[in-house]
Amino acid sequence: MGDANDRVMIFDTTLRDGEQSPGIALDVGEKLEIAEQLARLGVDVIEAGFPIASDGDFEAVEAIARAVRGPVVAGLARTAFGDIDRAWEAVRHAERPRIHIFLATSKIHMEKKLRMSPEQVKAEAAASVARARGYTTDIEFSPEDGSRSDPDFLVEVLQIAVDAGATVLNIPDTVGYGVPEEYGRLIRYLIDHVKGDYIVSTHCHDDLGLAVANSLAGVANGARQVECAVNGIGERAGNAALEEIVMAIRTRGDYFAGLETGVRTEELARTSRLVSRLTGYPVQYNKAVVGRNAFAHESGIHQHGVLSDRETYEIIDAASVGQEAAQIVLGKHSGRHAFADSLEKMGLSLQGDALNQAFVRFKELADRKVEITDADLEAIVAEELGAGAVHRYSMVSIDVHGGTAVTPSARVVLADGDVKVEGEAQGNGMIDAAIASIADATGVSGTLVDFNVSSVTGGRDALGDVVVQLESGGLRASGRGVATDVVEASARAYLNAVNKIVRLREQPEARDVESGP
Ligand code: KIV
Ligand code: ZN
Protein backbone atom coordinates (compact mmCIF):
# COMPACT_ATOMS: atom_id res chain seq x y z
CA MET A 1 0.00 0.00 0.00
CA GLY A 2 1.04 3.58 -0.51
CA ASP A 3 4.84 3.68 -0.80
CA ALA A 4 5.46 -0.03 -1.16
CA ASN A 5 7.50 0.36 -4.34
CA ASP A 6 10.13 2.65 -5.82
CA ARG A 7 8.33 3.63 -8.98
CA VAL A 8 6.59 7.01 -9.16
CA MET A 9 3.89 6.93 -11.84
CA ILE A 10 3.72 9.98 -14.05
CA PHE A 11 0.11 10.87 -14.83
CA ASP A 12 0.08 13.49 -17.55
CA THR A 13 -2.90 15.81 -17.64
CA THR A 14 -1.67 18.17 -20.37
CA LEU A 15 -4.62 17.20 -22.56
CA ARG A 16 -7.24 17.59 -19.83
CA ASP A 17 -6.30 20.06 -17.06
CA GLY A 18 -3.68 21.64 -19.36
CA GLU A 19 -6.16 22.09 -22.14
CA GLN A 20 -8.44 23.92 -19.69
CA SER A 21 -6.00 26.86 -19.76
CA PRO A 22 -7.58 30.00 -21.20
CA GLY A 23 -7.05 30.31 -24.92
CA ILE A 24 -5.97 26.71 -25.54
CA ALA A 25 -8.17 24.76 -27.93
CA LEU A 26 -6.53 21.74 -29.48
CA ASP A 27 -8.23 19.81 -32.26
CA VAL A 28 -8.32 16.02 -32.38
CA GLY A 29 -5.26 15.77 -34.65
CA GLU A 30 -3.21 18.00 -32.36
CA LYS A 31 -4.26 16.07 -29.26
CA LEU A 32 -3.28 12.83 -30.97
CA GLU A 33 0.12 14.26 -31.87
CA ILE A 34 0.74 15.29 -28.26
CA ALA A 35 -0.51 11.93 -26.95
CA GLU A 36 1.84 10.03 -29.28
CA GLN A 37 4.72 12.15 -28.02
CA LEU A 38 3.70 11.56 -24.39
CA ALA A 39 3.81 7.82 -25.08
CA ARG A 40 7.29 8.27 -26.58
CA LEU A 41 8.25 10.24 -23.48
CA GLY A 42 7.22 7.25 -21.39
CA VAL A 43 4.51 8.68 -19.13
CA ASP A 44 2.46 6.04 -17.30
CA VAL A 45 -0.96 7.61 -17.72
CA ILE A 46 -2.37 10.04 -20.27
CA GLU A 47 -5.49 11.84 -19.11
CA ALA A 48 -6.86 12.40 -22.59
CA GLY A 49 -9.85 14.60 -21.74
CA PHE A 50 -13.28 14.98 -20.16
CA PRO A 51 -15.52 13.04 -22.56
CA ILE A 52 -18.88 14.39 -21.33
CA ALA A 53 -17.67 17.99 -21.77
CA SER A 54 -18.18 18.12 -25.54
CA ASP A 55 -18.34 15.94 -28.64
CA GLY A 56 -14.87 17.18 -29.57
CA ASP A 57 -13.49 16.06 -26.21
CA PHE A 58 -15.15 12.67 -26.57
CA GLU A 59 -13.79 12.22 -30.08
CA ALA A 60 -10.26 13.09 -29.00
CA VAL A 61 -10.28 10.75 -26.00
CA GLU A 62 -11.67 7.95 -28.15
CA ALA A 63 -9.09 8.53 -30.90
CA ILE A 64 -6.24 8.50 -28.37
CA ALA A 65 -7.61 5.36 -26.69
CA ARG A 66 -7.72 3.58 -30.05
CA ALA A 67 -4.37 4.77 -31.39
CA VAL A 68 -1.90 5.26 -28.56
CA ARG A 69 -0.20 2.21 -27.13
CA GLY A 70 1.80 1.99 -23.91
CA PRO A 71 0.37 4.35 -21.30
CA VAL A 72 -2.96 3.94 -19.51
CA VAL A 73 -5.54 6.23 -21.14
CA ALA A 74 -7.83 7.96 -18.63
CA GLY A 75 -11.09 9.82 -19.16
CA LEU A 76 -12.43 12.22 -16.52
CA ALA A 77 -15.98 12.02 -15.14
CA ARG A 78 -18.11 13.61 -12.45
CA THR A 79 -20.13 11.20 -10.32
CA ALA A 80 -23.22 11.33 -12.55
CA PHE A 81 -23.74 7.98 -14.25
CA GLY A 82 -24.07 9.71 -17.60
CA ASP A 83 -20.54 11.09 -17.16
CA ILE A 84 -19.12 7.72 -16.17
CA ASP A 85 -20.83 5.88 -19.03
CA ARG A 86 -19.57 8.46 -21.53
CA ALA A 87 -16.03 8.30 -20.12
CA TRP A 88 -16.06 4.53 -20.48
CA GLU A 89 -17.41 4.77 -24.02
CA ALA A 90 -14.44 6.96 -24.90
CA VAL A 91 -11.63 5.01 -23.22
CA ARG A 92 -12.83 1.44 -23.64
CA HIS A 93 -10.68 0.76 -26.72
CA ALA A 94 -7.49 1.65 -24.91
CA GLU A 95 -4.91 -1.01 -24.21
CA ARG A 96 -5.32 -0.05 -20.55
CA PRO A 97 -8.38 2.15 -19.90
CA ARG A 98 -9.01 4.13 -16.71
CA ILE A 99 -12.03 6.05 -15.45
CA HIS A 100 -11.16 9.04 -13.26
CA ILE A 101 -14.02 10.25 -11.06
CA PHE A 102 -13.93 13.48 -9.09
CA LEU A 103 -16.22 14.79 -6.35
CA ALA A 104 -15.63 17.78 -4.09
CA THR A 105 -15.17 17.15 -0.36
CA SER A 106 -14.34 20.55 1.12
CA LYS A 107 -16.99 22.34 3.16
CA ILE A 108 -17.11 25.31 0.81
CA HIS A 109 -17.45 23.15 -2.32
CA MET A 110 -20.04 20.83 -0.79
CA GLU A 111 -22.16 23.73 0.48
CA LYS A 112 -21.74 26.36 -2.23
CA LYS A 113 -21.19 24.32 -5.36
CA LEU A 114 -22.59 20.82 -4.96
CA ARG A 115 -25.25 21.79 -2.42
CA MET A 116 -24.82 18.36 -0.90
CA SER A 117 -24.48 17.23 2.68
CA PRO A 118 -21.42 15.19 3.71
CA GLU A 119 -23.67 12.12 3.85
CA GLN A 120 -24.84 12.71 0.30
CA VAL A 121 -21.24 13.10 -0.84
CA LYS A 122 -20.32 9.77 0.71
CA ALA A 123 -23.26 8.05 -0.97
CA GLU A 124 -22.37 9.66 -4.29
CA ALA A 125 -18.78 8.47 -3.99
CA ALA A 126 -19.87 4.89 -3.33
CA ALA A 127 -22.39 4.80 -6.16
CA SER A 128 -20.13 6.38 -8.78
CA VAL A 129 -17.17 4.11 -8.11
CA ALA A 130 -19.48 1.08 -8.14
CA ARG A 131 -20.82 2.22 -11.51
CA ALA A 132 -17.29 2.50 -12.92
CA ARG A 133 -16.40 -0.88 -11.41
CA GLY A 134 -19.00 -2.38 -13.70
CA TYR A 135 -16.73 -1.36 -16.59
CA THR A 136 -13.13 -1.61 -15.41
CA THR A 137 -10.88 -2.39 -12.48
CA ASP A 138 -8.71 0.68 -13.06
CA ILE A 139 -10.57 3.47 -11.24
CA GLU A 140 -9.14 6.68 -9.90
CA PHE A 141 -11.06 8.74 -7.36
CA SER A 142 -10.31 12.42 -6.63
CA PRO A 143 -11.84 14.31 -3.70
CA GLU A 144 -11.79 17.73 -5.34
CA ASP A 145 -10.40 20.54 -3.16
CA GLY A 146 -8.94 17.74 -1.04
CA SER A 147 -6.25 19.89 0.56
CA ARG A 148 -8.95 22.19 2.02
CA SER A 149 -11.13 19.29 3.17
CA ASP A 150 -11.38 17.98 6.71
CA PRO A 151 -8.75 15.16 6.86
CA ASP A 152 -11.04 12.81 8.80
CA PHE A 153 -13.89 13.34 6.38
CA LEU A 154 -11.42 12.67 3.58
CA VAL A 155 -10.44 9.39 5.20
CA GLU A 156 -14.12 8.39 5.34
CA VAL A 157 -14.82 9.25 1.71
CA LEU A 158 -11.61 7.67 0.45
CA GLN A 159 -12.27 4.48 2.41
CA ILE A 160 -15.71 4.28 0.80
CA ALA A 161 -14.11 4.76 -2.65
CA VAL A 162 -11.51 2.05 -2.02
CA ASP A 163 -14.13 -0.34 -0.67
CA ALA A 164 -16.19 0.26 -3.82
CA GLY A 165 -13.21 -0.53 -6.05
CA ALA A 166 -11.05 2.59 -6.52
CA THR A 167 -7.40 1.71 -7.04
CA VAL A 168 -5.88 5.21 -7.19
CA LEU A 169 -6.69 7.93 -4.65
CA ASN A 170 -5.72 11.32 -6.03
CA ILE A 171 -5.57 14.22 -3.55
CA PRO A 172 -6.06 17.51 -5.41
CA ASP A 173 -4.74 20.79 -4.12
CA THR A 174 -7.34 22.22 -6.46
CA VAL A 175 -6.81 25.88 -5.64
CA GLY A 176 -3.06 25.76 -5.06
CA TYR A 177 -3.48 26.59 -1.37
CA GLY A 178 -1.24 23.93 0.12
CA VAL A 179 2.29 24.34 1.41
CA PRO A 180 4.74 21.45 1.17
CA GLU A 181 5.07 20.38 4.78
CA GLU A 182 1.31 20.49 5.36
CA TYR A 183 0.39 18.79 2.08
CA GLY A 184 2.98 16.06 2.70
CA ARG A 185 1.57 15.50 6.17
CA LEU A 186 -1.93 15.12 4.72
CA ILE A 187 -0.70 12.47 2.26
CA ARG A 188 0.98 10.56 5.06
CA TYR A 189 -2.15 10.81 7.22
CA LEU A 190 -4.37 9.41 4.48
CA ILE A 191 -2.00 6.53 3.73
CA ASP A 192 -1.87 5.71 7.41
CA HIS A 193 -5.64 5.73 7.85
CA VAL A 194 -7.24 4.43 4.63
CA LYS A 195 -7.05 0.66 4.42
CA GLY A 196 -6.85 -1.39 1.28
CA ASP A 197 -4.93 -1.82 -1.93
CA TYR A 198 -4.43 1.51 -3.70
CA ILE A 199 -1.83 4.06 -4.56
CA VAL A 200 -1.99 7.70 -3.57
CA SER A 201 -1.56 10.40 -6.17
CA THR A 202 -0.84 14.14 -6.01
CA HIS A 203 -2.52 16.81 -8.14
CA CYS A 204 -1.25 20.27 -7.25
CA HIS A 205 -2.02 23.65 -8.76
CA ASP A 206 0.48 26.46 -8.88
CA ASP A 207 -1.42 29.47 -7.52
CA LEU A 208 1.33 30.10 -4.95
CA GLY A 209 4.12 28.77 -7.15
CA LEU A 210 4.29 25.65 -4.96
CA ALA A 211 2.80 22.97 -7.23
CA VAL A 212 6.07 21.11 -7.79
CA ALA A 213 7.22 21.49 -4.19
CA ASN A 214 3.87 20.25 -2.88
CA SER A 215 3.83 17.28 -5.27
CA LEU A 216 7.35 16.30 -4.20
CA ALA A 217 6.37 16.60 -0.55
CA GLY A 218 3.56 14.19 -1.39
CA VAL A 219 6.04 11.79 -2.96
CA ALA A 220 8.36 12.04 0.02
CA ASN A 221 5.38 11.03 2.17
CA GLY A 222 4.34 8.01 0.17
CA ALA A 223 2.47 9.19 -2.95
CA ARG A 224 3.43 7.02 -5.92
CA GLN A 225 1.63 8.87 -8.70
CA VAL A 226 2.10 12.52 -9.60
CA GLU A 227 -0.37 14.34 -11.80
CA CYS A 228 1.37 17.01 -13.82
CA ALA A 229 1.37 18.76 -17.17
CA VAL A 230 4.04 19.55 -19.73
CA ASN A 231 5.38 23.09 -19.22
CA GLY A 232 3.15 23.30 -16.14
CA ILE A 233 0.08 24.37 -18.10
CA GLY A 234 -3.37 24.05 -16.53
CA GLU A 235 -6.21 25.93 -14.87
CA ARG A 236 -5.23 29.44 -13.75
CA ALA A 237 -1.56 29.37 -12.71
CA GLY A 238 -1.29 25.80 -13.99
CA ASN A 239 -0.33 22.38 -12.71
CA ALA A 240 2.93 20.95 -11.45
CA ALA A 241 5.36 20.94 -14.38
CA LEU A 242 6.04 17.39 -15.54
CA GLU A 243 9.64 18.08 -16.53
CA GLU A 244 10.45 19.57 -13.13
CA ILE A 245 8.91 16.68 -11.22
CA VAL A 246 10.74 14.09 -13.30
CA MET A 247 14.11 15.82 -13.12
CA ALA A 248 13.83 16.55 -9.40
CA ILE A 249 13.21 12.88 -8.68
CA ARG A 250 16.01 11.84 -10.99
CA THR A 251 18.57 14.47 -10.01
CA ARG A 252 17.92 14.13 -6.28
CA GLY A 253 17.79 10.34 -6.15
CA ASP A 254 19.83 10.68 -2.97
CA TYR A 255 16.99 12.60 -1.28
CA PHE A 256 14.13 10.61 -2.79
CA ALA A 257 15.68 7.35 -1.64
CA GLY A 258 16.18 5.77 -5.02
CA LEU A 259 12.69 6.51 -6.37
CA GLU A 260 12.41 6.62 -10.15
CA THR A 261 9.99 7.38 -12.96
CA GLY A 262 9.75 5.61 -16.30
CA VAL A 263 10.19 8.84 -18.28
CA ARG A 264 12.73 8.94 -21.13
CA THR A 265 14.12 12.27 -20.12
CA GLU A 266 15.89 12.90 -23.46
CA GLU A 267 12.39 13.50 -24.88
CA LEU A 268 11.54 16.29 -22.42
CA ALA A 269 12.70 19.26 -24.47
CA ARG A 270 11.06 17.98 -27.65
CA THR A 271 7.78 17.37 -25.78
CA SER A 272 7.91 20.84 -24.29
CA ARG A 273 8.46 22.43 -27.71
CA LEU A 274 5.59 20.46 -29.26
CA VAL A 275 3.15 21.43 -26.50
CA SER A 276 4.24 25.05 -26.68
CA ARG A 277 3.86 25.15 -30.47
CA LEU A 278 0.42 23.51 -30.54
CA THR A 279 -1.06 25.34 -27.54
CA GLY A 280 0.46 28.70 -28.43
CA TYR A 281 1.67 29.00 -24.82
CA PRO A 282 5.30 30.18 -24.84
CA VAL A 283 7.85 28.67 -22.48
CA GLN A 284 9.46 31.36 -20.35
CA TYR A 285 13.18 31.76 -21.12
CA ASN A 286 14.25 30.90 -17.59
CA LYS A 287 11.87 27.95 -17.19
CA ALA A 288 13.56 25.09 -15.31
CA VAL A 289 14.73 22.14 -17.45
CA VAL A 290 13.13 23.16 -20.76
CA GLY A 291 13.58 26.95 -20.90
CA ARG A 292 15.97 28.19 -23.55
CA ASN A 293 18.22 29.67 -20.84
CA ALA A 294 18.15 26.60 -18.58
CA PHE A 295 21.67 25.69 -19.72
CA ALA A 296 22.97 29.09 -20.72
CA HIS A 297 25.68 30.82 -18.74
CA GLU A 298 26.40 34.51 -19.11
CA SER A 299 28.33 35.56 -16.04
CA GLY A 300 32.07 35.44 -16.62
CA ILE A 301 32.67 33.62 -13.34
CA HIS A 302 30.08 30.96 -14.20
CA GLN A 303 31.42 30.60 -17.73
CA HIS A 304 34.93 30.08 -16.43
CA GLY A 305 33.67 27.41 -14.03
CA VAL A 306 31.58 25.57 -16.61
CA LEU A 307 34.43 25.57 -19.11
CA SER A 308 36.70 23.88 -16.62
CA ASP A 309 34.04 21.49 -15.24
CA ARG A 310 30.36 21.56 -16.25
CA GLU A 311 29.23 20.47 -12.80
CA THR A 312 30.53 23.65 -11.17
CA TYR A 313 27.31 25.37 -12.25
CA GLU A 314 25.10 22.66 -13.78
CA ILE A 315 23.21 19.96 -11.90
CA ILE A 316 21.62 18.43 -15.01
CA ASP A 317 23.39 17.31 -18.15
CA ALA A 318 21.60 19.23 -20.93
CA ALA A 319 21.77 16.23 -23.27
CA SER A 320 19.89 14.11 -20.72
CA VAL A 321 16.79 16.30 -21.20
CA GLY A 322 17.24 16.76 -24.94
CA GLN A 323 18.64 20.27 -24.65
CA GLU A 324 21.78 21.60 -26.27
CA ALA A 325 24.89 21.24 -24.15
CA ALA A 326 26.09 24.12 -21.97
CA GLN A 327 25.70 27.26 -23.97
CA ILE A 328 28.16 30.00 -23.29
CA VAL A 329 26.22 33.12 -24.12
CA LEU A 330 28.55 35.96 -24.81
CA GLY A 331 27.24 39.16 -23.37
CA LYS A 332 28.37 42.02 -21.20
CA HIS A 333 29.00 39.77 -18.18
CA SER A 334 31.26 37.37 -20.04
CA GLY A 335 34.92 37.09 -19.20
CA ARG A 336 38.09 36.64 -21.21
CA HIS A 337 38.04 32.84 -20.82
CA ALA A 338 34.65 32.46 -22.43
CA PHE A 339 35.57 34.97 -25.13
CA ALA A 340 38.78 33.16 -26.03
CA ASP A 341 37.02 29.78 -25.85
CA SER A 342 34.31 30.91 -28.25
CA LEU A 343 36.90 32.22 -30.69
CA GLU A 344 38.78 28.96 -30.49
CA LYS A 345 35.62 26.93 -31.17
CA MET A 346 35.11 29.04 -34.27
CA GLY A 347 38.67 28.30 -35.37
CA LEU A 348 39.80 31.89 -34.77
CA SER A 349 43.06 32.19 -32.97
CA LEU A 350 44.12 35.47 -31.39
CA GLN A 351 46.91 35.83 -28.89
CA GLY A 352 48.59 38.44 -26.76
CA ASP A 353 47.80 42.08 -27.55
CA ALA A 354 45.46 41.22 -30.39
CA LEU A 355 43.36 39.07 -28.04
CA ASN A 356 43.37 41.81 -25.41
CA GLN A 357 42.31 44.45 -27.91
CA ALA A 358 39.62 42.22 -29.38
CA PHE A 359 38.33 41.55 -25.87
CA VAL A 360 38.15 45.27 -25.14
CA ARG A 361 36.19 45.78 -28.38
CA PHE A 362 33.92 42.88 -27.51
CA LYS A 363 33.12 44.38 -24.09
CA GLU A 364 32.36 47.76 -25.65
CA LEU A 365 29.97 46.13 -28.09
CA ALA A 366 28.39 43.89 -25.47
CA ASP A 367 27.40 46.98 -23.50
CA ARG A 368 25.23 48.01 -26.42
CA LYS A 369 24.16 44.70 -27.92
CA VAL A 370 22.30 42.11 -25.83
CA GLU A 371 23.72 38.99 -27.40
CA ILE A 372 26.91 38.71 -29.39
CA THR A 373 26.57 36.18 -32.20
CA ASP A 374 29.31 34.15 -33.90
CA ALA A 375 29.07 36.48 -36.88
CA ASP A 376 29.64 39.47 -34.59
CA LEU A 377 32.70 37.77 -33.13
CA GLU A 378 34.07 37.07 -36.56
CA ALA A 379 33.65 40.71 -37.49
CA ILE A 380 35.39 41.91 -34.33
CA VAL A 381 38.30 39.56 -34.95
CA ALA A 382 38.49 40.53 -38.62
CA GLU A 383 38.66 44.18 -37.54
CA GLU A 384 41.42 43.41 -35.07
CA LEU A 385 43.42 41.28 -37.49
CA GLY A 386 42.92 43.82 -40.24
CA ALA A 387 44.23 46.65 -38.08
CA GLY A 388 47.80 45.40 -38.46
CA ALA A 389 50.26 44.34 -35.84
CA VAL A 390 50.84 47.81 -34.39
CA HIS A 391 48.06 50.33 -33.87
CA ARG A 392 49.50 53.77 -33.66
CA TYR A 393 46.13 55.31 -32.90
CA SER A 394 43.19 53.84 -31.07
CA MET A 395 39.75 55.30 -30.65
CA VAL A 396 38.91 56.80 -27.27
CA SER A 397 35.66 58.54 -28.17
CA ILE A 398 33.85 60.14 -31.03
CA ASP A 399 30.94 62.61 -30.88
CA VAL A 400 29.06 63.27 -34.07
CA HIS A 401 26.24 65.74 -34.58
CA GLY A 402 23.98 65.92 -37.56
CA GLY A 403 20.46 66.16 -38.88
CA THR A 404 18.58 67.99 -41.58
CA ALA A 405 18.87 71.42 -39.95
CA VAL A 406 22.55 71.55 -38.94
CA THR A 407 25.88 71.16 -40.63
CA PRO A 408 27.21 67.75 -39.57
CA SER A 409 30.22 67.98 -37.31
CA ALA A 410 32.40 65.57 -35.34
CA ARG A 411 34.90 65.63 -32.54
CA VAL A 412 37.22 62.70 -31.99
CA VAL A 413 39.65 61.79 -29.23
CA LEU A 414 42.35 59.25 -30.10
CA ALA A 415 45.09 57.68 -28.03
CA ASP A 416 48.56 57.90 -29.57
CA GLY A 417 50.44 55.77 -27.07
CA ASP A 418 49.94 57.60 -23.78
CA VAL A 419 49.09 60.88 -25.44
CA LYS A 420 45.56 61.98 -26.30
CA VAL A 421 45.09 63.71 -29.65
CA GLU A 422 41.89 65.45 -30.66
CA GLY A 423 40.40 66.41 -33.97
CA GLU A 424 37.35 68.38 -35.08
CA ALA A 425 35.72 68.81 -38.44
CA GLN A 426 32.55 69.45 -40.36
CA GLY A 427 31.40 67.38 -43.29
CA ASN A 428 28.74 66.76 -45.92
CA GLY A 429 27.19 64.12 -43.69
CA MET A 430 27.89 62.55 -40.34
CA ILE A 431 30.19 59.86 -41.77
CA ASP A 432 32.09 62.47 -43.75
CA ALA A 433 32.46 64.65 -40.62
CA ALA A 434 33.64 61.68 -38.55
CA ILE A 435 36.27 60.75 -41.10
CA ALA A 436 37.41 64.37 -41.46
CA SER A 437 37.82 64.68 -37.67
CA ILE A 438 40.16 61.64 -37.72
CA ALA A 439 42.13 63.18 -40.58
CA ASP A 440 42.37 66.34 -38.48
CA ALA A 441 43.60 64.44 -35.42
CA THR A 442 46.13 62.24 -37.22
CA GLY A 443 47.16 64.55 -40.05
CA VAL A 444 46.56 61.67 -42.45
CA SER A 445 44.09 62.59 -45.15
CA GLY A 446 43.45 61.16 -48.55
CA THR A 447 40.77 59.86 -50.85
CA LEU A 448 38.34 57.11 -50.00
CA VAL A 449 38.48 54.96 -53.12
CA ASP A 450 36.11 52.38 -51.77
CA PHE A 451 33.48 52.46 -49.06
CA ASN A 452 31.32 49.44 -48.32
CA VAL A 453 28.70 49.08 -45.57
CA SER A 454 26.94 45.86 -44.65
CA SER A 455 25.23 44.48 -41.61
CA VAL A 456 26.69 41.49 -39.77
CA THR A 457 23.36 40.02 -38.67
CA GLY A 458 19.72 41.07 -38.87
CA GLY A 459 17.80 43.10 -36.30
CA ARG A 460 17.86 46.67 -35.09
CA ASP A 461 20.95 46.10 -32.97
CA ALA A 462 22.88 44.44 -35.81
CA LEU A 463 26.53 45.36 -36.12
CA GLY A 464 27.38 47.60 -39.04
CA ASP A 465 30.43 46.30 -40.88
CA VAL A 466 32.31 48.93 -42.89
CA VAL A 467 35.25 48.30 -45.19
CA VAL A 468 37.11 51.25 -46.72
CA GLN A 469 40.10 51.77 -49.01
CA LEU A 470 42.09 54.90 -48.37
CA GLU A 471 44.59 56.38 -50.79
CA SER A 472 47.03 58.80 -49.24
CA GLY A 473 50.32 60.12 -50.59
CA GLY A 474 50.60 57.35 -53.16
CA LEU A 475 49.85 54.63 -50.61
CA ARG A 476 46.70 52.61 -50.41
CA ALA A 477 45.36 50.68 -47.42
CA SER A 478 42.13 49.01 -46.46
CA GLY A 479 40.44 49.29 -43.11
CA ARG A 480 37.54 47.57 -41.44
CA GLY A 481 35.33 48.63 -38.56
CA VAL A 482 32.37 47.14 -36.77
CA ALA A 483 30.00 48.84 -34.36
CA THR A 484 26.31 48.96 -33.59
CA ASP A 485 26.36 52.46 -35.09
CA VAL A 486 27.27 52.80 -38.74
CA VAL A 487 28.95 56.20 -38.30
CA GLU A 488 31.16 54.79 -35.57
CA ALA A 489 31.88 51.68 -37.71
CA SER A 490 32.92 53.99 -40.56
CA ALA A 491 35.18 56.01 -38.29
CA ARG A 492 36.79 52.82 -36.98
CA ALA A 493 37.31 51.51 -40.49
CA TYR A 494 38.91 54.79 -41.52
CA LEU A 495 41.12 54.79 -38.44
CA ASN A 496 42.24 51.25 -39.26
CA ALA A 497 43.22 52.35 -42.72
CA VAL A 498 45.04 55.40 -41.31
CA ASN A 499 47.01 53.15 -38.94
CA LYS A 500 48.14 51.08 -41.90
CA ILE A 501 49.14 54.12 -43.94
CA VAL A 502 51.17 55.40 -40.96
CA ARG A 503 52.82 52.00 -40.69
CA LEU A 504 53.57 51.88 -44.40
CA ARG A 505 55.16 55.30 -44.16
CA GLU A 506 57.24 54.28 -41.15
CA GLN A 507 58.13 50.80 -42.48
CA PRO A 508 58.47 51.02 -46.25
CA GLU A 509 59.33 47.29 -46.42
CA ALA A 510 55.74 46.52 -45.51
CA ARG A 511 54.47 48.31 -48.65
CA ASP A 512 54.77 45.31 -50.96
CA VAL A 513 52.37 43.39 -48.83
CA GLU A 514 49.85 45.99 -47.80
CA SER A 515 49.77 48.85 -50.27
CA GLY A 516 47.46 48.68 -53.24
CA PRO A 517 48.45 48.64 -56.91
O1 KIV B 1 -7.75 20.44 -9.71
C1 KIV B 1 -8.57 19.50 -9.56
O2 KIV B 1 -9.16 19.31 -8.49
C2 KIV B 1 -8.81 18.65 -10.70
C3 KIV B 1 -9.57 17.39 -10.46
C4 KIV B 1 -10.55 17.15 -11.53
C5 KIV B 1 -8.63 16.25 -10.29
O3 KIV B 1 -8.35 18.92 -11.78
ZN1 ZN C 1 -6.69 20.36 -11.56
Side-chain angles (χ1 to χ4, degrees):
M1 186 195 75
D3 54 0
N5 66 53
D6 293 340
R7 177 71 184 270
V8 177
M9 303 290 173
I10 295 298
F11 176 115
D12 179 273
T13 188
T14 306
L15 295 173
R16 199 279 298 167
D17 210 316
E19 218 243 351
Q20 285 172 218
S21 313
I24 298 184
L26 300 166
D27 65 27
V28 177
E30 291 168 333
K31 286 185 182 176
L32 256 175
E33 200 179 337
I34 290 176
E36 298 281 10
Q37 178 58 27
L38 289 171
R40 217 169 290 131
L41 179 65
V43 305
D44 299 284
V45 186
I46 295 174
E47 185 164 50
F50 188 9
I52 196 79
S54 70
D55 288 346
D57 245 50
F58 178 89
E59 219 186 297
V61 178
E62 192 189 29
I64 290 167
R66 284 182 187 276
V68 178
R69 291 291 168 256
V72 168
V73 176
L76 185 67
R78 290 167 300 189
T79 49
F81 287 0
D83 274 39
I84 294 168
D85 297 349
R86 191 79 172 139
W88 175 248
E89 226 5 71
V91 297
R92 59 194 285 239
H93 298 288
E95 205 171 40
R96 293 187 291 149
R98 174 180 295 182
I99 298 175
H100 177 192
I101 301 167
F102 72 101
L103 174 65
T105 49
S106 65
K107 193 162 176 290
I108 184 171
H109 276 234
M110 289 191 292
E111 279 175 11
K112 301 280 167 48
K113 188 184 78 172
L114 298 177
R115 297 187 195 288
M116 280 186 190
S117 68
E119 288 311 310
Q120 284 174 306
V121 165
K122 286 195 268 182
E124 193 85 1
S128 59
V129 176
R131 178 76 174 193
R133 192 69 174 81
Y135 294 127
T136 177
T137 51
D138 192 342
I139 302 162
E140 174 167 332
F141 182 81
S142 292
E144 192 191 8
D145 206 15
S147 61
R148 291 197 301 171
S149 304
D150 171 55
D152 291 322
F153 180 61
L154 266 187
V155 169
E156 278 187 70
V157 175
L158 293 174
Q159 190 65 64
I160 287 168
V162 171
D163 293 345
T167 44
V168 180
L169 301 179
N170 179 47
I171 314 303
D173 181 25
T174 303
V175 291
Y177 182 74
V179 289
E181 205 262 326
E182 177 195 70
Y183 183 76
R185 209 174 333 120
L186 176 65
I187 297 294
R188 175 54 62 193
Y189 186 80
L190 298 174
I191 290 174
D192 286 346
H193 290 84
V194 178
K195 294 172 185 47
D197 198 10
Y198 60 87
I199 66 163
V200 166
S201 166
T202 66
H203 178 109
C204 298
H205 280 269
D206 208 31
D207 300 66
L208 293 175
L210 292 172
V212 169
N214 286 336
S215 308
L216 293 174
V219 169
N221 281 280
R224 288 297 174 266
Q225 174 179 287
V226 175
E227 301 201 357
C228 45
V230 175
N231 299 336
I233 60 172
E235 278 281 350
R236 305 179 312 280
N239 284 86
L242 180 149
E243 56 280 359
E244 295 177 22
I245 296 286
V246 168
M247 290 315 293
I249 291 173
R250 176 169 160 166
T251 308
R252 294 306 309 273
D254 58 330
Y255 180 82
F256 290 104
L259 294 181
E260 56 185 19
T261 72
V263 166
R264 284 183 279 279
T265 58
E266 316 79 57
E267 293 290 330
L268 284 171
R270 190 201 313 271
T271 312
S272 161
R273 285 195 298 268
L274 177 71
V275 168
S276 173
R277 179 164 59 80
L278 295 182
T279 58
Y281 265 43
V283 175
Q284 77 198 51
Y285 286 174
N286 60 328
K287 167 84 182 59
V289 183
V290 293
R292 74 171 222 190
N293 287 353
F295 299 92
H297 304 273
E298 215 210 69
S299 127
I301 295 169
H302 289 208
Q303 292 178 340
H304 188 190
V306 168
L307 288 170
S308 91
D309 183 338
R310 183 186 67 73
E311 289 186 17
T312 52
Y313 284 100
E314 275 185 9
I315 57 165
I316 297 171
D317 179 357
S320 75
V321 296
Q323 285 257 56
E324 250 178 66
Q327 300 139 39
I328 299 298
V329 177
L330 289 181
K332 67 178 179 178
H333 302 111
S334 302
R336 194 182 302 267
H337 277 101
F339 177 69
D341 186 73
S342 296
L343 293 186
E344 217 163 276
K345 286 199 180 111
M346 290 166 61
L348 301 169
S349 149
L350 279 191
Q351 263 102 35
D353 279 353
L355 177 62
N356 292 342
Q357 276 158 11
F359 183 64
V360 170
R361 286 287 290 123
F362 155 74
K363 284 295 231 188
E364 281 168 12
L365 285 173
D367 262 343
R368 286 183 253 169
K369 195 169 190 290
V370 178
E371 213 174 286
I372 305 288
T373 65
D374 283 0
D376 293 336
L377 278 188
E378 256 173 41
I380 293 169
V381 171
E383 180 188 286
E384 251 353 281
L385 291 175
V390 183
H391 295 204
R392 163 103 180 252
Y393 300 104
S394 57
M395 178 88 70
V396 176
S397 65
I398 185 158
D399 291 318
V400 186
H401 297 277
T404 50
V406 291
T407 305
S409 63
R411 185 170 175 280
V412 72
V413 181
L414 303 176
D416 180 1
D418 293 337
V419 182
K420 295 253 160 63
V421 288
E422 298 182 11
E424 267 180 344
Q426 292 189 327
N428 293 329
M430 291 200 283
I431 291 176
D432 190 40
I435 284 173
S437 70
I438 292 172
D440 184 47
T442 59
V444 178
S445 58
T447 314
L448 273 187
V449 290
D450 200 7
F451 182 86
N452 200 298
V453 187
S454 59
S455 114
V456 177
T457 52
R460 284 175 60 189
D461 66 348
L463 289 191
D465 185 354
V466 177
V467 178
V468 300
Q469 281 230 355
L470 172 67
E471 205 170 76
S472 173
L475 297 171
R476 194 182 271 202
S478 61
R480 183 169 192 181
V482 285
T484 48
D485 179 274
V486 110
V487 178
E488 185 191 331
S490 305
R492 287 185 177 279
Y494 186 83
L495 187 61
N496 263 344
V498 165
N499 273 325
K500 285 189 198 165
I501 296 278
V502 170
R503 188 163 154 242
L504 292 174
R505 281 186 191 158
E506 288 166 356
Q507 301 170 295
E509 70 282 0
R511 287 179 193 186
D512 295 342
V513 190
E514 294 187 68
S515 63

